[in-house]
Amino acid sequence: MSVFFGIALLTGWMPDYTTTFFADFAFKGKGFDSSQIASIVEIVFLIAGFVGAICELVIGILVDRTKTQLGKVKPWIGFGAIPLAIVSMLVFIAPSTTSFGIACVWIIIIYCLYTAISCAVESPANCFGALCSPNPSERSDAISIVSFLRSVGQSGGQVVIIVVQELMKVLMGQQQFKNAEGQGLDLIVSTAICSLGMIIFVMIFFSNNKERVPYTAEKVSLVESIKLVFTNKNLLMVSLTKLCGFGRGVYGTVSLYIAIYLLGSKGLKLALMLPMGIGTAVGMLIVQQVLKKFSTKRTYIIFCLYGASILAILYLVSRDIGFNSNLIIPFLILNFFCGLQHGNTNVTPNIMIADCVDEMEYKTGKRQEGLAYAGYGLFSKITSAFTKFLGPWLVYTWSQYQFSQDPNVAYAAQTDEVLTKFLAIYTIIPAIFVILQGVPILFYDMVGDKKERITAALAEKRAQQAEASSDGAEQIAE
């Protein structure tokens, strides 16, 4: 399961830092209008999101058609790691140009390429939760561990950024570091380190993981596959949670700027997010316990109601105290409690999808993990497109954010009005979408007696297949 840590070590922090690199650093001093660049960034993430959505579906179908001695997903992860590392590096190396058109084309091409290749690695990796065990209880535990490792990996990437910044300050001096930071050099070095780490952990994955659920031999029709994504009610409901809650992710875009203007450095985003990360880890443990008493459906709804409530509380506290040093301690404490809700969104949907794979196999005789997770990924990428369009729009347009015009100064000072809007983007706006994401789950029914009946039927089917295979082997031996 080291692969999930390794992939998150690189991809977990890339989107948010890519946003600030494109908007604040990539073409600073080239004579471009900052507001125009910000508008292009919004459009780029929208386009890349839809590119990713198409890639998710195509890759999901290809994963289900992959039949090798290594299994269905391992070849994709292994052969995709190095291309992902290379393209991730290229994201932070902007061309030296004074042409606005060339700058726009480069941003679009490089980020769409990154999105496509990351899909080719992340989407197959996500299938491993359904492949690691046919037992729903074991599967749930494995998915919880995977989610924890992914969360740790995301934090690990941000630790790398902090360490790189501190080393650069020591080696270069404070002023030289500011100049380098103004050009995004710290992000290039951090990406190189995280890329190497990702490759190492992917290699560890190959020797320590095995697919334990056999794939079915039937060929997967493209038309049937697309139809299945949109007609399997339970899979569709789980996928729609992403689409209905697309605005909850805008906090990620603004969190970098909150770290800058509340804590004093973009590298301290980890210090801002660490309490939330710890809360997420604790939340995953809590979710495991809650799932022992309640169904996945009820667990998801409970945490949605909790998540919206704690975000609203954080907004009210932040508004009353104001965006200043007095806010730091209560903000970090409440961030921990906000993180608890992410334990649910990191774990429960993946368990639901694994259950949906069982339901599809029960109904059709075909086990299509790649397609099921790709269907969810399809909606995730469309959601990401909307989120990455809405997030930058809120940060750069709605809040009236002021860009630094000095090539040697990374970030300009902001007004109180801008900072107050940053808090709203971090709290109250996501709270609204946290409620909305729970609505589709009201119609999810792969729980209770239905789930137990399907699990038992599949266990009996596999036992019969194993017995038939054993008898066939004995006859051949005779």
Side-chain angles (χ1 to χ4, degrees):
M1 294 185 185
S2 61
V3 66
F4 298 96
F5 175 88
I7 294 173
L9 186 69
L10 177 62
T11 63
W13 59 271
M14 281 280 293
D16 294 339
Y17 283 86
T18 300
T19 302
T20 187
F21 177 75
F22 288 160
D24 291 294
F25 303 138
F27 300 102
K28 183 181 289 186
K30 303 299 182 181
F32 300 151
D33 186 325
S34 299
S35 61
Q36 284 186 313
I37 289 291
S39 297
I40 290 298
V41 171
E42 297 167 13
I43 296 171
V44 166
F45 281 105
L46 184 65
I47 295 172
F50 283 100
V51 169
I54 296 171
C55 289
E56 284 282 355
L57 190 58
V58 172
I59 290 167
I61 294 170
L62 293 176
V63 167
D64 281 327
R65 292 181 175 180
T66 301
K67 318 292 182 184
T68 72
Q69 292 183 344
L70 293 174
K72 298 170 71 171
V73 304
K74 291 175 73 173
W76 287 87
I77 300 170
F79 290 110
I82 292 178
L84 176 58
I86 294 171
V87 173
S88 298
M89 285 286 298
L90 294 176
V91 167
F92 294 110
I93 303 177
S96 179
T97 179
T98 56
S99 169
F100 183 73
I102 292 176
C104 293
V105 170
W106 174 79
I107 292 175
I108 293 171
I109 291 176
I110 195 64
Y111 197 73
C112 286
L113 184 60
Y114 165 77
T115 299
I117 296 179
S118 63
C119 282
V121 176
E122 289 183 299
S123 184
N126 289 335
C127 299
F128 207 79
L131 289 166
C132 64
S133 173
N135 185 304
S137 179
E138 292 179 357
R139 198 163 59 200
S140 297
D141 290 340
I143 290 173
S144 297
I145 295 171
V146 163
S147 299
F148 175 77
L149 290 174
R150 184 181 282 120
S151 179
V152 173
Q154 291 173 347
S155 298
Q158 294 178 55
V159 169
V160 170
I161 294 174
I162 293 175
V163 172
V164 166
Q165 287 184 338
E166 294 305 314
L167 287 175
M168 288 177 68
K169 289 177 184 178
V170 172
L171 296 175
M172 303 173 67
Q174 188 70 33
Q175 186 57 49
Q176 288 298 321
F177 168 73
K178 286 185 177 181
N179 296 342
E181 183 188 29
Q183 303 302 317
L185 182 60
D186 57 323
L187 296 178
I188 296 174
V189 176
S190 298
T191 306
I193 295 171
C194 290
S195 295
L196 178 60
M198 184 266 294
I199 293 172
I200 291 172
F201 282 105
V202 165
M203 295 304 103
I204 294 173
F205 164 80
F206 267 78
S207 60
N208 293 324
N209 289 273
K210 181 181 180 181
E211 298 175 13
R212 291 177 172 82
V213 179
Y215 49 71
T216 54
E218 297 90 342
K219 290 186 177 181
V220 183
S221 162
L222 176 61
V223 175
E224 289 179 357
S225 298
I226 296 174
K227 181 180 177 181
L228 186 61
V229 170
F230 292 96
T231 58
N232 183 278
K233 187 191 78 171
N234 287 319
L235 178 59
L236 183 60
M237 291 304 104
V238 178
S239 300
L240 283 175
T241 62
K242 300 293 290 185
L243 194 59
C244 291
F246 78 91
R248 68 184 294 271
V250 297
Y251 81 91
T253 304
V254 79
S255 62
L256 189 64
Y257 293 99
I258 289 180
I260 292 165
Y261 293 106
L262 185 62
L263 302 181
S265 168
K266 72 175 184 287
L268 292 178
K269 180 185 176 184
L270 177 63
L272 174 70
M273 303 303 289
L274 185 59
M276 183 177 285
I278 296 172
T280 299
V282 173
M284 286 187 281
L285 296 176
I286 294 174
V287 167
Q288 281 185 288
Q289 298 305 312
V290 173
L291 284 170
K292 292 178 181 179
K293 298 182 179 180
F294 299 106
S295 67
T296 49
K297 175 179 180 177
R298 185 171 295 183
T299 298
Y300 194 91
I301 293 172
I302 289 171
F303 275 90
C304 283
L305 294 174
Y306 166 80
S309 300
I310 192 62
L311 284 168
I313 291 171
L314 179 55
Y315 173 73
L316 293 174
V317 170
S318 302
R319 189 185 63 180
D320 289 343
I321 296 177
F323 202 93
N324 54 59
S325 59
N326 293 328
L327 178 61
I328 293 176
I329 299 303
F331 196 92
L332 295 180
I333 292 173
L334 287 172
N335 246 16
F336 166 81
F337 290 100
C338 288
L340 295 178
Q341 60 161 322
H342 296 308
N344 172 55
T345 52
N346 285 351
V347 174
T348 312
N350 288 315
I351 295 174
M352 289 176 166
I353 296 170
D355 292 340
C356 289
V357 172
D358 282 353
E359 183 186 24
M360 290 189 292
E361 182 182 3
Y362 176 76
K363 290 181 177 180
T364 68
K366 300 177 182 179
R367 189 164 186 88
Q368 297 174 265
E369 294 91 352
L371 180 63
Y373 281 93
Y376 182 70
L378 169 72
F379 283 86
S380 296
K381 288 298 186 294
I382 294 174
T383 296
S384 178
F386 292 146
T387 302
K388 290 302 181 181
F389 176 82
L390 178 62
W393 181 84
L394 289 170
V395 171
Y396 300 127
T397 303
W398 179 68
S399 74
Q400 298 182 327
Y401 172 78
Q402 299 298 310
F403 291 92
S404 169
Q405 302 302 320
D406 186 340
N408 295 322
V409 176
Y411 301 99
Q414 306 297 325
T415 65
D416 289 340
E417 181 181 0
V418 172
L419 299 179
T420 300
K421 288 183 177 180
F422 279 179
L423 291 174
I425 298 169
Y426 192 85
T427 56
I428 198 66
I429 293 175
I432 295 170
F433 285 93
V434 168
I435 289 292
L436 292 176
Q437 75 176 2
V439 173
I441 295 301
L442 296 173
F443 304 95
Y444 177 87
D445 67 2
M446 184 57 182
V447 292
D449 293 339
K450 179 178 179 179
K451 178 177 176 179
E452 292 176 3
R453 185 177 68 255
I454 289 176
T455 300
L458 291 178
E460 181 179 354
K461 172 187 171 183
R462 292 190 184 107
Q464 291 174 351
Q465 290 175 336
E467 183 178 350
S469 177
S470 177
D471 291 342
E474 291 177 359
Q475 290 177 1
I476 292 174
E478 292 175 357

